[in-house]
Amino acid sequence: MSIILPSPVKQLGAYAKLVHRRATSLPLLKQEMTSRELPDLHDDCSKIRSDLLDATLFDILPRSLFIPQYRTKIMPQSYHLAYFHPPTPLSSLFPDGTDPLHSPGLPFIRRLWAGGDITFNDDLHYKESAYLRCKESIKDVEIKGNEGEEKIFVTIERRINYLAKHIYGTARETPDPIIENRKLVFMRDLPHQAHRPPRPAARNISKHLHPPLATHKLTPSPTLLFRFSALTFNAHKIHLSKTYCQQVEHHRNLLVHGPLTLILMLQFLTDYLTRAEGNNKDRIITSVTYRNIAPLYAEEEMTLCVRQKGEHLWETWIQGPEGGLAVRASVRTAEDRVLSAERKGCGREGEGEGEGGRLVVGMDGRC
C-alpha cells in the first residue's frame, strides 16, 4: 500500500482565490483540476470487506437479502462503494476530516455528496489472489451560486477493473466492469463565529407523486454510521461528531453517508427483484442515476421505496421522517448479463451451468 501525500493540492489555494473573477477563473480552475493526476486506488477481490458490510446492514435491511444462496461469489451491486479509499495520512486531512484529493483548495474545503451515476457492465467476482484497480479522474468542474456564496461541483469518474489483464485469459480489450461518476459539492470554510442553534427542519418538503410498490422502514443509529465510516476509511466529522454537526455545520444530528443511502436503495431494490413474482423477470441492475435532495439524520426514521416506471426501468427513493424526498434514483435493470455468442463459446476454464441452465462465466473464464 502506498501512502498518498497531498502533493496534488499544494498550490490549489491560488486557483480557488480566483473564483471571484468568475468569467476568467472557471477555465483556469477547470483546466487545473481536470488535468490533475489522481493516484490509482488498489484493493483486493476478497469477500472480507463485503462480509463486514453485510454484518453492518444485517439488522436494518430485509433478512431475505442475506440468505446464503443469494450471497454468491459475485459482489453485490453497489458494494464496490466500500472499496477503493485513499490511504491519506491524518496530517493531510482537512479540518473536517475529509481528504484533499478532489478539493478545489482553500477556502472550498467543506464537502458534500451531491449525486452521480453508475454503469454496471459486468459483475465483480471474489477471488483471494486477485486485485482490483480503481482509476480516478476529474471530468468536470462547475461553479454555481452568487459571489461569496459559490459552490463548486466536481465530477469524478471512477473506472473499476481487475488489476491484471491475464485474469481475463486474453489480451483483448474488455469494458470496465463498473464505471462510476460521482458529483461532489465543495463549499467555503465557515468563518469562526459564535455558535448558532441547529437549522430547523425544512417546512416546504417535496414529496413523491406516485405510491411505491414496496417500502421498508429503518432508523440509522450513530453506531451504524461509525461502522460505515470505519469500513470506508472515512473520517468526515459530519458522520462522527454530533457536536461538530450542531455547532459548526448547524445540523441537528449526524448526517447519513451519501454512499450508504445508495447502497440501501439498490440492495432493497435487488431484494424486491429477487422476490418479485408475475411477469417481471429482471434480476440485475445495469445502471443507476441518483441525486441527494435533502439530508438524512441519525436516529430519525427513513423509508426505502421502489416502484416500476416501465419495462426494465425502476425508481427507488428514500423518504425522511415527514415523508419528504431525501434521495431519488432512476434504475435500469435486466434479466441477466448479456453474453455474446463469441464469449459463450470461448470454452475457458471457469464456465459452467448455473441454475436453470443459465451459462455462468467465472472470473478466470472470461473471454
Side-chain angles (χ1 to χ4, degrees):
M1 179 186 72
S2 299
I3 302 299
I4 295 179
L5 298 176
S7 55
V9 296
K10 286 181 179 178
Q11 56 183 359
L12 296 187
Y15 291 104
K17 289 176 182 177
L18 294 174
V19 168
H20 290 295
R21 290 158 43 200
R22 297 174 61 88
T24 57
S25 63
L26 180 56
L28 271 178
L29 183 65
K30 187 172 183 177
Q31 179 184 5
E32 184 281 321
M33 294 192 69
T34 55
S35 62
R36 186 184 301 177
E37 292 187 8
L38 299 178
D40 287 355
L41 303 175
H42 298 155
D43 221 321
D44 60 47
C45 294
S46 73
K47 197 169 179 288
I48 296 174
R49 190 87 52 87
S50 294
D51 287 341
L52 293 174
L53 184 53
D54 274 352
T56 300
L57 303 180
F58 183 77
D59 291 323
I60 62 172
L61 283 175
R63 294 294 172 87
S64 51
L65 264 171
F66 305 97
I67 298 174
Q69 71 187 70
Y70 296 142
R71 285 324 202 208
T72 65
K73 294 181 179 180
I74 296 174
M75 185 184 295
Q77 288 164 315
S78 75
Y79 268 40
H80 73 281
L81 293 167
Y83 293 71
F84 311 110
H85 304 290
T88 308
L90 289 174
S91 58
S92 299
L93 299 177
F94 284 139
D96 65 353
T98 58
D99 69 76
L101 290 178
H102 311 118
S103 169
L106 291 171
F108 297 91
I109 60 174
R110 293 167 55 236
R111 183 188 76 188
L112 289 175
W113 192 299
D117 61 79
I118 306 173
T119 300
F120 298 97
N121 292 315
D122 206 346
D123 297 315
L124 293 177
H125 292 242
Y126 298 119
K127 189 174 179 64
E128 296 296 333
S129 59
Y131 286 85
L132 298 165
R133 182 185 76 169
C134 175
K135 181 69 175 177
E136 280 195 337
S137 59
I138 295 175
K139 289 298 181 182
D140 194 22
V141 179
E142 300 175 273
I143 300 178
K144 298 181 180 180
N146 297 324
E147 186 171 323
E149 299 178 350
E150 301 93 346
K151 295 180 179 180
I152 301 180
F153 290 81
V154 179
T155 301
I156 302 145
E157 181 186 74
R158 309 180 105 214
R159 290 180 170 267
I160 298 171
N161 210 329
Y162 299 98
L163 183 60
K165 290 289 186 181
H166 71 267
I167 291 176
Y168 289 99
T170 178
R172 183 163 60 248
E173 288 297 321
T174 55
D176 296 307
I178 297 177
I179 301 175
E180 177 187 353
N181 290 287
R182 57 178 59 172
K183 182 168 285 191
L184 305 178
V185 55
F186 290 89
M187 299 164 290
R188 290 178 177 274
D189 191 18
L190 292 171
H192 295 289
Q193 54 186 311
H195 293 162
R196 295 181 298 178
R199 67 189 71 182
R203 294 184 178 180
N204 297 323
I205 58 176
S206 174
K207 295 189 176 183
H208 204 283
L209 299 178
H210 301 281
L213 285 175
T215 61
H216 177 77
K217 295 182 182 297
L218 63 98
T219 301
S221 66
T223 304
L224 168 69
L225 302 191
F226 171 81
R227 269 199 168 187
F228 191 79
S229 290
L231 190 59
T232 56
F233 208 57
N234 184 351
H236 199 175
K237 291 181 181 179
I238 62 172
H239 311 303
L240 298 169
S241 171
K242 187 174 182 178
T243 299
Y244 176 85
C245 288
Q246 292 179 337
Q247 297 185 358
V248 179
E249 296 286 351
H250 312 302
H251 287 284
R252 58 181 179 268
N253 207 335
L254 301 174
L255 274 73
V256 180
H257 310 67
L260 176 56
T261 59
L262 181 59
I263 290 173
L264 293 174
M265 289 192 300
L266 295 189
Q267 289 305 297
F268 181 55
L269 176 59
T270 297
D271 180 62
Y272 182 83
L273 294 174
T274 301
R275 296 182 292 104
E277 300 177 355
N279 295 328
N280 178 63
K281 297 181 180 180
D282 286 0
R283 293 294 180 268
I284 65 166
I285 295 168
T286 59
S287 66
V288 57
T289 301
Y290 65 98
R291 185 166 67 95
N292 295 321
I293 300 169
L296 290 163
Y297 295 104
E299 301 176 315
E300 294 185 10
E301 185 179 76
M302 65 172 68
T303 305
L304 309 178
C305 307
V306 298
R307 79 177 187 98
Q308 188 166 12
K309 295 178 65 177
E311 186 177 11
H312 309 305
L313 184 60
W314 296 77
E315 189 174 24
T316 177
W317 67 95
I318 300 181
Q319 296 176 174
E322 298 181 5
L325 270 174
V327 192
R328 189 173 191 171
S330 178
V331 184
R332 291 197 173 275
T333 58
E335 291 186 30
D336 206 342
R337 296 286 177 212
V338 177
L339 299 182
S340 67
E342 180 184 16
R343 292 186 67 189
K344 287 181 180 180
C346 64
R348 296 187 182 276
E349 181 183 357
E351 294 182 357
E353 293 294 323
E355 296 181 7
R358 176 175 63 86
L359 181 69
V360 178
V361 181
M363 188 175 69
D364 289 328
R366 296 167 189 269
C367 296

